[in-house]
Amino acid sequence: MTTLWINTLVSVIGVLLGAFLAMGSVMSIANMQVAWAGALLIAAFGVPLAFAISGIGAWWAYATGTTHLITYLIAFPWVYLAAFIAAMLLSFKL
């Protein structure tokens, strides 16, 4: 139960900072000359969404008794964020 409350706090902070990251990324993505710039733009707005899904989804999994999904839901935004950052860094390098 404590894990869920910590995840809730991290998710709220993640949504706020993810929105800030998405707004900053939009300016960088607009100047990119790569074929996947449109996909990166959509993925940027997925960062705060991933944290929201994690926060709500972990409580949903707990409420429905599917507690084996909680670990995956907590890890989901961090994996998504790492993949997004890797794609951004790859795009800057090209």
Side-chain angles (χ1 to χ4, degrees):
M1 186 73 154
T2 304
T3 305
L4 291 174
W5 285 108
I6 292 170
N7 184 54
T8 301
L9 179 64
V10 170
S11 293
V12 169
I13 293 169
V15 166
L16 297 173
L17 292 178
F20 182 71
L21 173 79
M23 288 185 286
S25 297
V26 167
M27 290 184 257
S28 297
I29 295 169
N31 294 324
M32 288 184 182
Q33 300 298 323
V34 293
W36 58 87
L40 276 176
L41 185 62
I42 294 169
F45 291 108
V47 173
L49 182 63
F51 279 99
I53 289 171
S54 173
I56 295 168
W59 281 105
W60 172 79
Y62 178 76
T64 59
T66 55
T67 55
H68 62 280
L69 296 177
I70 292 174
T71 304
Y72 299 111
L73 287 164
I74 290 173
F76 170 66
W78 300 104
V79 173
Y80 185 88
L81 180 63
F84 175 72
I85 290 172
M88 287 289 287
L89 290 174
L90 178 66
S91 299
F92 284 133
K93 193 168 188 161
L94 295 178

